[in-house]
């Protein structure tokens, strides 16, 4: 598929449903502070699927190469790049463009800079052979960590931020995770590492994906989780992590959480809610949003992946060449696999 400097890329070309196709792309030019990465593997994210099915709620710069979960080797360096070498094995954070003077960036929370633009929607992503990446986004990965696992550092960081940074868990806490997608399962896995008892909740159609949660030592529940939530002292779960990707699941979370407990919402959807928030008040519940991740989180997650403490192999449903993107997307869309991984060529 490669002619001269051109490579096959998975392009999202308009806001119409289904506007994704393979196009040939020139090798990008890099800026002084950027590196050129040869992409080894790229994970398919729920947000890539949402852009494909056009039910996303964020602004997309069409046409754009999809893909923000990736790892690769450095093959070229901009003139001002220090501390990185050609051949380095790396993964990249997702905040491709941030305002360096924004107060959020200056406090290290560039993931929350309102002007942030990410790979795969704001700038060209990694579902192709070459991607240009600002050097500040890079992290080294251990030699023994394969790229097909390393490319999932990003969703692991989403989970780590939700569970470790934005939630409070004590060993022995009961934690309920709504939604057995990649983020839900990884949140459950990280909550297990924090010493919690964890149940992952899904629908009948999620039966297969819930099986994977069992490999992380979690209970699995189809439908109503209130019995599990209340089985210890009758009051509910200490923490409910809502990773279901819809607004209305907040209602379920409010039912399941115990008084003075916490709800962390990491899955999102544009639908209005249409129900009362009275339980939030009456139960004195903390409602916490969680978005993206930053540098220290990446370093911790790479350490967990490198030591094998956090193992992403159970969620990987297969590796497809980039030209078979549609099959990889469809398998995830239908819940046949939790995570599809692509390989550029
Ligand atoms: Zn993602």
């Amino acid at each position: 598929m490669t002619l001269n400097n051109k490579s096959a890329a998975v392009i999202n070309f308009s806001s119409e449903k289904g506007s994704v196709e393979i196009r040939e792309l020139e090798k990008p030019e890099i800026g002084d502070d950027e590196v050129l990465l040869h992409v080894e593997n790229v994970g398919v994210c729920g947000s890539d699927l949402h852009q494909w099915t056009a039910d996303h709620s964020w602004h997309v710069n069409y046409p754009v190469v999809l893909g923000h979960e990736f790892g690769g080797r450095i093959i070229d360096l901009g003139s001002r790049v220090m501390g990185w070498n050609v051949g380095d094995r790396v993964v990249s954070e997702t905040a491709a463009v941030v305002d360096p003077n924004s107060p959020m960036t200056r406090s290290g929370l560039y993931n929350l800079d309102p002007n942030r633009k990410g790979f795969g929607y704001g700038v060209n992503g990694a579902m192709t052979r070459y991607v240009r990446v600002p050097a500040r986004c890079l992290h080294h990965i251990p030699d023994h960590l394969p790229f097909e696992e390393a490319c999932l550092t990003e969703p692991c960081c989403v989970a780590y931020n939700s569970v470790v940074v934005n939630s409070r868990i004590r060993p022995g806490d009961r934690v309920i995770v709504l939604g057995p997608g990649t983020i839900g399962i990884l949140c459950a896995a990280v909550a297990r590492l924090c010493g919690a008892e964890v149940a992952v909740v899904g629908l009948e159609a999620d039966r297969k994906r819930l099986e994977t949660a069992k490999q992380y030592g979690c209970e699995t529940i189809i439908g109503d989780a209130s019995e599990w939530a209340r089985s210890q002292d009758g009051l509910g779960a200490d923490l409910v992590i809502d990773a279901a990707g819809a607004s209305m699941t907040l209602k379920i979370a409010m039912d399941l959480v115990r008084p003075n407990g916490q709800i962390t919402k990491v899955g999102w959807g544009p639908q209005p809610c249409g129900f009362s928030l009275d339980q939030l008040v009456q139960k004195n519940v903390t409602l916490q949003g969680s978005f993206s991740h930053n540098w220290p989180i990446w370093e911790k997650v790479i350490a967990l992946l490198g030591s094998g403490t956090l193992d992403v192999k159970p969620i990987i449903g297969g590796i497809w060449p980039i030209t078979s993107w549609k099959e990889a997307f469809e398998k995830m869309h239908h819940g046949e696999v939790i995570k599809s991984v692509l390989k550029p060529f």
Side-chain angles (χ1 to χ4, degrees), residues 44-48 68-69 94 154-155 158 183 339:
V44 179
C45 180
S47 66
D48 297 310
H68 59 267
E69 303 175 358
T94 53
E154 196 272 340
V158 171
I183 300 300
K339 174 64 75 179

Side-chain angles (χ1 to χ4, degrees), residues 15-64:
S15 60
E16 297 287 300
K17 190 172 154 62
S19 296
V20 172
E21 65 183 16
I22 291 282
R23 289 185 187 173
E24 292 283 301
L25 209 70
E26 287 286 345
K27 193 170 173 177
E29 299 282 327
I30 55 169
D32 293 340
D33 297 311
E34 293 178 325
V35 306
L36 192 63
L37 277 199
H38 183 284
V39 179
E40 294 287 343
N41 283 110
V42 50
V44 179
C45 180
S47 66
D48 297 310
L49 300 183
H50 283 302
Q51 284 177 225
W52 170 51
T53 53
D55 52 0
H56 58 288
S57 49
W58 52 90
H59 177 79
V60 180
N61 246 339
Y62 302 107
V64 73

Side-chain angles (χ1 to χ4, degrees), residues 14-204:
S14 92
S15 60
E16 297 287 300
K17 190 172 154 62
S19 296
V20 172
E21 65 183 16
I22 291 282
R23 289 185 187 173
E24 292 283 301
L25 209 70
E26 287 286 345
K27 193 170 173 177
E29 299 282 327
I30 55 169
D32 293 340
D33 297 311
E34 293 178 325
V35 306
L36 192 63
L37 277 199
H38 183 284
V39 179
E40 294 287 343
N41 283 110
V42 50
V44 179
C45 180
S47 66
D48 297 310
L49 300 183
H50 283 302
Q51 284 177 225
W52 170 51
T53 53
D55 52 0
H56 58 288
S57 49
W58 52 90
H59 177 79
V60 180
N61 246 339
Y62 302 107
V64 73
V65 181
L66 290 174
H68 59 267
E69 303 175 358
F70 59 101
R73 288 173 211 274
I74 296 178
I75 56 167
D76 199 7
L77 302 163
S79 61
R80 283 201 298 262
V81 173
M82 309 271 283
W84 298 96
N85 296 301
V86 167
D88 284 354
R89 299 173 84 248
V90 295
V91 289
S92 170
E93 296 190 29
T94 53
V97 178
V98 295
D99 173 2
N101 294 315
S102 140
M104 298 317 291
T105 304
R106 290 193 159 203
S107 20
L109 294 173
Y110 49 84
N111 52 317
L112 305 179
D113 171 15
N115 295 313
R116 162 197 137 104
K117 288 195 182 79
F119 292 106
Y121 67 89
V123 305
N124 278 341
M127 289 189 183
T128 184
R129 180 187 282 203
Y130 304 113
V131 61
R132 50 185 278 203
V133 177
R136 65 170 168 78
C137 293
L138 300 173
H139 294 259
H140 285 290
I141 54 169
D143 288 342
H144 63 270
L145 184 64
F147 278 112
E148 59 262 34
E149 294 171 35
C151 74
L152 302 187
T153 307
E154 196 272 340
C156 293
C157 290
V158 171
Y160 191 98
N161 195 25
S162 312
V163 175
V164 180
V165 181
N166 282 322
S167 304
R168 43 183 154 81
I169 296 185
R170 292 175 182 177
D173 276 358
R174 286 173 96 70
V175 174
I176 291 181
V177 178
L178 304 177
T182 299
I183 300 300
I185 303 256
L186 291 174
C187 283
V190 175
R192 289 289 295 151
L193 294 179
C194 296
E197 300 292 316
V198 182
V200 182
V201 182
L203 306 170
E204 184 57 48

